[in-house]
Amino acid sequence: MCGIVALVGSREAAFQLLDGLRQLEYRGYDSAGIATVDASGRITCLKTEGKLINLTARVDEQGAPGRCGIGHTRWATHGKPEERNAHPHCSVDGAVAVVQNGIIENYRNLRETLQANGAVFLSETDTEVIPHLISAELSRWLASGETASGTLLLQVVQTVLPQLQGAYALAVIWKQAPGALVVARKIAPLLIGLGEGEFLCASDTPALASFTRTILPMEDGEVALLSPLGVELYNTQGERQQRMPTLLTGADHVADKRGFRHFMLKEIHEQPEIAELWVTRHLPQGLTAQMPVALPLETSFYRDIERVEILACGTSRHAALVGAYLLEQFAGLPTTVYYASEFRYAPPPLAPNTLTIGVTQSGETADTLAALTMEAKRRRAHGDPAYAPRQLGVTNRPESSLSRQMPHILDIGAGIEIGVAATKTFLGQLLTFYGLAMAFAAKRSSRSADEISALADELRKLPEQLRALVNLHDQRCAGLAHRFAAIQDVIFLGRGINYPIALEGALKLKEISYIHAEGYPAGEMKHGPIALLDAHVPVVSIAVPGMVFEKVLSNAQEAKARDAQLIGVAPEGPDTALFDELLPVPEMSEWISPLFTVIPMQLLSYHIAAHRGLDVDQPRNLAKSVTVE
Ligand code: F6R
């Protein structure tokens, strides 16, 4: 989704802004722009439709002098992805330039009022009201005798912000304060970077990591003035804030393909390492029957929990569905998974002693964050301690908004994921749920120590098995991809713990290959979807030995009888000979099967999309972190 980079310092800003924007490309965008201000107060604003290469060429050609500037990659919400809608947006007199992430919900009213006062709008965006409002306010303050300065720009922005409804992260420059940058956030994320002789601001860590490791995540509602002299940070009440910066650790904040053709392929191949890291961290030697998994949660965390509700979107929701299966079937804990976007407006009646889990790899998904906030609020309002909010966040970004909002966090530790299609973070989320299921099973004595340790032993073997599986399916799926060249629809079937994997297989395929795909519980097919089947609609069926093995095989037979091409994700053997094509998985306990069956799903989608020559890492219309509702 949209990305912001802004900086002020002692070096020319334009190419640094472009460097920062390049690190945000993975978030998905359709146009880009920068604005710089030079010492004489000249603002240069350059923007282009499409990829950053176009903007870089424009900057090379026209130049953008100045040591202070703002940059943006836009993912269209209000108005088409055209140059005039790209950010930065400027005031009528060109004195103020603004970039913004998020959505200003009341922009129509603001726009009408501004137009009535003579403002001329050049774009269809919600953002454009902001430079107009700031510029009008600056004119008033200057007319009343104030002197132009960075502090004045800060004060004016603080005056304008309460007029904006919705979620935003923004950065502003003004030609009369060429060494000042004002930034602000409400709901949408923004981080300040403290560099050597320069101060930066960005909506995501990769854009800062090549400049500095010292960061200061902004809290909700904060505004800051950045100048070559330093950073002044203020809360919503206008009180100056002093906080220690934090250090970005690890090398994974910088995007690097490590020789793979795409980030997505690299990230699929990283999954065995992620499993290994997870096993080392969470299943070390010396665990007890009372706590068979090492999680950073105190004993009191588990006390009296009677049910779980999980809020998530997209792939994270699919991981949550596997999690719910484990929590209910392995740990005996009633669990319901909600689309966070639906939960916000139709929450279920409150039940006591409920743990609410928010799952979001980015930690910034607006719907998930808002649903969690809303749930905490209505629980607090209830008054009875049994209904009090008990929340846990599962994320890959411990520096994210989710982490700051949640009392407890489980970091899935998958390292930054650049491919828009989630793969390794999905595996990390699944592993986290295995950990939680084991912990709850032990706490609630819903499984014997032997059953729990059998599951732990299987998980310990996972890294090696995954290594072999990823390599095998990388080749197999590459060989199969050409068969999908002219395919328009694919059906994915799974049951029980593998039903969410069928959903995930379908989501992966549609988002990166643009082939229509749907996942169904295999037993549901005969209740409608079977009407779609013929020789042109392949069916991918997940069939692993266990409770529903024979049932899934029968459902696959039903598809075969309708001439569908059958692709099985199943162990090799006589039972699975019915499949026209087999993507084999090893024999394993059904409990851990999703950790295996998802691998061919990811690689099949990847190779089909790559074979079609599509932009696998940045599929059209998609964004890596969805920071708008
Ligand atoms: C699919 C995908 C999306 C995300 C969804 C939630 O590959 O990546 O469906 O899963 O947008 O994102 P997070 O996990 O960041 O909340």
Side-chain angles (χ1 to χ4, degrees), residues 420-459:
V420 161
T423 52
K424 63 175 182 170
T425 54
F426 179 73
L427 188 96
Q429 290 167 338
L430 291 188
L431 287 167
T432 303
F433 277 112
Y434 281 90
L436 279 172
M438 285 195 287
F440 274 110
K443 292 278 170 207
R444 297 165 61 82
S445 309
S446 47
R447 291 274 161 184
S448 69
D450 284 351
E451 283 174 303
I452 299 174
S453 83
L455 178 56
D457 286 344
E458 290 229 55
L459 289 168

Side-chain angles (χ1 to χ4, degrees), residues 61-81:
E61 201 182 290
Q62 299 187 4
R67 293 174 182 181
C68 176
I70 54 182
H72 192 260
T73 44
R74 172 174 188 257
W75 185 82
T77 55
H78 293 68
K80 290 193 169 171

Side-chain angles (χ1 to χ4, degrees), residues 313-316 360-362 365 420-422 507-508 511 626:
C313 303
T315 287
S316 294
T360 158
Q361 70 79 20
S362 63
T365 297
V420 161
L507 180 64
K508 284 288 89 88
E511 66 185 343
V626 184

Side-chain angles (χ1 to χ4, degrees), residues 44 240-241 306 425 510 520:
T44 309
R240 182 97 184 245
Q241 302 295 294
E306 286 168 9
T425 54
K510 63 187 142 193
Y520 294 105

Side-chain angles (χ1 to χ4, degrees), residues 185 187 189 311 356-365 367-373 391-411 429:
R185 71 159 286 205
I187 303 170
L311 312 180
T356 309
I357 306 181
V359 187
T360 158
Q361 70 79 20
S362 63
E364 301 294 353
T365 297
D367 281 320
T368 308
L369 296 182
L372 289 165
T373 307
Q391 298 203 332
L392 167 71
V394 175
T395 186
N396 195 37
R397 303 297 291 274
E399 76 288 358
S400 65
S401 303
L402 178 86
S403 307
R404 292 196 291 281
Q405 170 174 333
M406 290 285 105
H408 304 284
I409 279 288
L410 291 179
D411 174 7
Q429 290 167 338

Side-chain angles (χ1 to χ4, degrees), residues 40 43 50 204 288 297 311 336 388 392 415 428 454 469 488 510 529 536 600:
S40 71
I43 288 189
D204 200 358
T288 61
L297 300 170
L311 312 180
T336 313
L392 167 71
L469 199 68
Q488 293 188 353
K510 63 187 142 193
H536 307 291

